[in-house]
Amino acid sequence: MMKKFLFIISIIAFLFFSIPLSLPAMEYEHTLEAKNMQFSWTIEGDQIHVKLSAKTTGWASIGFDPEKAMLGANIIIGAVEKGKFKIEDHYADRKRGHSSDEKLGGRNDVLNPSGSEEDGVTTISFTLPLDTGDKYDKPINPTGISRIMFAYGAGKDSFKNRHSYRTIYEINLSTGENKKIK
Ligand code: HEM
């Protein structure tokens, strides 16, 4: 009886000490530094893993493939408010604004969302299928040149609040090669 008890205790102790208490942070394959913003990403199969941070206590956002100003971009926007993060899948249905895919009749395709705010820097991370099939997302091209916008808000967490900084880059998501175009 005692032997069995000691055996079970040693199994539990082994499992306790061999499983790390916190998972290691994800390593990303590429990183781009924009003004007060950092975009890290990895293409894995038919998905892209993204980490985006901005020097703001407001929202941080990335927009894939805008056509005219913001119009047509698949926007992912996130913020941390009172320790809780929110990340939404939006679509730029206007040249100077955006709405959530769900509101427009589409879907939220953001996977594994997470977010934190530390020392005035907001960081969000998430995974997106390269081709969600949603009407309000466009397939992300993993090999050619992609036009990608970055922006952050000015301290307020509301997604209706305009940016205090915005920029556009051309990026080859496979090689990491990039050029600021706006
Ligand atoms: C409700 C929120 C937003 C409002 C009201 C808004 C409004 C505007 C306005 C008025 C402009 C033209 C003036 C300017 O160039 O600054 C603009 C441009 C721009 N916005 Fe937004 N915006 C919003 C959110 C976003 C988000 C989430 C992004 C995503 C990354 C973004 C990216 C951009 C970019 C890259 C431009 C420059 C486009 C160009 O000149 O080709 N905006 N926005």
Side-chain angles (χ1 to χ4, degrees):
M1 188 66 186
M2 189 62 180
K3 260 188 187 168
K4 200 172 174 190
F5 176 73
L6 286 174
F7 179 70
I8 290 168
I9 289 291
S10 54
I11 294 278
I12 291 171
F14 173 77
L15 288 175
F16 182 80
F17 288 111
S18 60
I19 295 170
L21 292 179
S22 61
L23 292 169
M26 175 159 183
E27 301 275 343
Y28 292 85
E29 208 173 328
H30 305 284
T31 294
L32 181 156
E33 305 270 353
K35 190 183 160 217
N36 290 335
M37 289 192 88
Q38 197 180 56
F39 166 48
S40 302
W41 76 98
T42 299
I43 303 278
E44 187 183 16
D46 55 5
Q47 295 185 322
I48 179 168
H49 306 293
V50 173
K51 184 170 93 172
L52 185 70
S53 56
K55 201 161 189 267
T56 181
T57 51
W59 55 260
S61 175
I62 180 168
F64 297 90
D65 212 1
E67 285 150 26
K68 198 152 202 208
M70 297 164 54
L71 186 71
N74 175 23
I75 289 178
I76 308 297
I77 183 166
V80 181
E81 197 170 9
K82 293 184 190 128
K84 276 194 180 158
F85 70 83
K86 50 173 183 177
I87 301 183
E88 293 180 6
D89 188 354
H90 282 218
Y91 178 70
D93 53 345
R94 289 155 277 159
K95 277 200 281 184
R96 299 188 165 85
H98 52 89
S99 305
S100 89
D101 286 12
E102 282 178 340
K103 224 181 198 166
L104 294 167
R107 243 188 358 243
N108 172 16
D109 291 286
V110 176
L111 305 170
N112 310 321
S114 109
S116 62
E117 192 177 292
E118 244 172 77
D119 302 329
V121 175
T122 293
T123 302
I124 57 171
S125 60
F126 57 89
T127 296
L128 266 189
L130 294 176
D131 188 359
T132 64
D134 186 20
K135 188 163 137 197
Y136 296 102
D137 299 324
K138 283 186 241 158
I140 296 168
N141 180 355
T143 51
I145 301 291
S146 301
R147 249 173 111 84
I148 302 186
M149 3 183 253
F150 302 100
Y152 60 82
K156 285 191 193 154
D157 289 309
S158 165
F159 294 159
K160 292 198 173 123
N161 198 27
R162 200 179 139 191
H163 26 79
S164 58
Y165 176 72
R166 91 290 185 282
T167 184
I168 304 182
Y169 277 72
E170 277 181 354
I171 307 174
N172 182 319
L173 291 169
S174 290
T175 63
E177 251 178 287
N178 63 79
K179 190 166 94 187
K180 179 174 159 59
I181 57 164
K182 245 177 200 174

